[in-house]
Amino acid sequence: MVEDVARRLRRLEDRAAIHDLVARYALAVDDHDYAALQGMYAADAVFRHAGAVLRGREAIVAFLQERAHLNGKTVHTPHTVVIDWVDDDTARGTVTGHAEIERGGEFLVAAFRYDDTYVRGEGAWKFQERTTKFRYVAPVDALKELFRSPLTVRWPGADPVPGEW
């Protein structure tokens, strides 16, 4: 009985730590806190975003820095975090969220999901894998017509394409 309570308490603590990881990630991206971002990824992590596949935390953070130069201000807001446990030190999750992005003089809004794998390492929960998928990306003034079209991902300077989920 005591062991069961201890296991359940640890699972709740782990769940809270993963929720904090997701929230701190959004803040660090918006604040350009690359040292914090580097500490959030496992050494051999994989990050997939808009066709790019990055391997290793240094490559991931360099990519995030490069992407930040394309954007002005950003606001990333995670919403739901659903966690499924693989074992005591590994979990999979789906995070939904929205982002507001200033790019090339345009103000964009995006709905995204992260498909994540989390691992306990170096004394904390970290991202082992993170894949970004977009439902839509579009200028704010195009949002009202977005759901009438299958081409919902509309980055400035690129042809519209279907959403990824």
Side-chain angles (χ1 to χ4, degrees):
M1 174 105 164
V2 172
E3 293 85 18
D4 184 53
V5 170
R7 182 186 60 76
R8 292 172 60 198
L9 179 58
R10 178 159 184 174
R11 185 58 50 95
L12 289 171
E13 290 172 338
D14 290 341
R15 184 175 297 280
I18 291 171
H19 277 257
D20 283 352
L21 173 67
V22 167
R24 289 178 195 280
Y25 182 88
L27 295 172
V29 167
D30 292 339
D31 293 344
H32 302 167
D33 187 345
Y34 302 112
L37 287 166
Q38 186 154 343
M40 294 179 195
Y41 280 97
D44 61 346
V46 176
F47 181 68
R48 294 174 189 84
H49 178 82
V53 179
L54 292 303
R55 298 183 187 285
R57 70 176 120 195
E58 290 81 11
I60 293 167
V61 171
F63 176 80
L64 293 173
Q65 284 179 298
E66 181 182 304
R67 298 297 288 194
H69 292 295
L70 294 174
N71 300 328
K73 295 175 183 150
T74 61
V75 177
H76 290 79
T77 307
H79 300 304
T80 59
V81 181
V82 177
I83 301 169
D84 295 308
W85 301 97
V86 176
D87 57 42
D88 287 343
D89 297 318
T90 309
R92 290 195 177 91
T94 301
V95 177
T96 64
H98 282 85
E100 291 127 28
I101 305 161
E102 178 187 12
R103 182 179 286 182
E106 289 195 74
F107 185 68
L108 308 172
V109 64
F112 61 85
R113 281 187 185 174
Y114 289 117
D115 290 331
D116 292 334
T117 301
Y118 314 102
V119 293
R120 187 192 320 268
E122 302 169 9
W125 282 95
K126 298 184 180 287
F127 296 107
Q128 179 64 51
E129 291 189 26
R130 181 154 250 216
T131 300
T132 309
K133 295 179 180 177
F134 293 96
R135 168 71 77 179
Y136 61 79
V137 178
V140 170
D141 56 353
L143 193 57
K144 65 183 177 188
E145 66 187 58
L146 206 57
F147 283 93
R148 296 183 185 126
S149 168
L151 304 176
T152 58
V153 177
R154 302 177 184 191
W155 291 107
D159 291 333
V161 297
E164 298 164 311
W165 57 275

